[in-house]
Amino acid sequence: MPLGIWLKAGVSATALVLAMAGAATAATAPAGESSTAQAATVTLRYDDSRAAGWEAAIAAGVASWNANVSNVRLVEAAPGTAAEIVIVATTGWPQATLGPVRPGRQVRVELGSQAVNQGYNKTRIAAHELGHSLGLPDTKPGPCSQLMSGSSAGTACTNATPNTTERSRVQSAYASATAALAPTDRILIDAP
């Protein structure tokens, strides 16, 4: 067979394989969602076994994040298993290690009763501190509409939902499950 026919056959076969691979990839992704976004979902486990009295606030804070970001998922760690986010109740001011935490790494969230004693909302505190674990710094001073404005929004603020900018920043931080690991040794204390 002449070389030209071999080359045409090879090119045609390669094009067919590539076309079939593209169709197979497109068929596995749900409508409107790319396979990359689906594969990039990061699951982070949290342990609240040492956060007595905060369980409802933690559950509501977790639910808020899970409802507002799609490529990171917070789930409660099974007893006896390692967790990326360790949550404890303390008597001081709330504080947390700044993330974004990655699977296999660990950050700590301290939910301090001092803030509650001064009138701050428990659910907002929990959601705010989880935001630190997901990589968001404080945005003080700031309005109540910014979850990460923390105590600067005042005791009347009960908003526990991240705004568009906050959601976008977390989405970017977890855009790839294989993104570079950030150091997780910076503690943010949320006293006014």
Side-chain angles (χ1 to χ4, degrees):
M1 196 182 298
L3 179 61
I5 294 176
W6 278 105
L7 289 175
K8 286 182 185 177
V11 170
S12 296
T14 302
L16 179 62
V17 168
L18 290 174
M20 290 175 66
T25 301
T28 59
E33 185 176 332
S34 74
S35 60
T36 304
Q38 187 178 28
T41 300
V42 175
T43 299
L44 299 174
R45 295 160 302 190
Y46 67 91
D47 174 4
D48 65 354
S49 63
R50 295 183 291 161
W54 287 85
E55 296 87 354
I58 294 166
V62 165
S64 177
W65 279 108
N66 285 343
N68 284 285
V69 294
S70 61
N71 58 4
V72 64
R73 200 96 190 121
L74 303 174
V75 298
E76 190 169 6
T81 61
E84 285 80 18
I85 304 171
V86 175
I87 306 171
V88 298
T90 69
T91 57
W93 276 96
Q95 59 184 318
T97 311
L98 181 62
V101 66
R102 297 286 179 195
R105 303 296 288 269
Q106 193 173 76
V107 295
R108 180 177 169 98
V109 168
E110 295 184 10
L111 299 175
S113 62
Q114 191 170 352
V116 176
N117 294 342
Q118 291 195 15
Y120 292 96
N121 178 271
K122 277 183 147 182
T123 300
R124 178 172 168 83
I125 293 168
H128 174 90
E129 298 306 325
L130 288 168
H132 287 320
S133 297
L134 298 174
L136 297 176
D138 287 314
T139 55
K140 293 180 180 181
C144 183
S145 60
Q146 292 177 343
L147 175 60
M148 300 313 294
S149 67
S151 61
S152 71
T155 56
C157 180
T158 60
N159 173 40
T161 304
N163 68 17
T164 304
T165 301
E166 294 162 334
R167 290 190 302 261
S168 177
R169 289 186 70 191
V170 170
Q171 289 287 110
S172 293
Y174 290 93
S176 170
T178 59
L181 295 174
T184 57
D185 57 358
R186 184 172 166 210
I187 306 294
L188 301 177
I189 300 173
D190 289 305

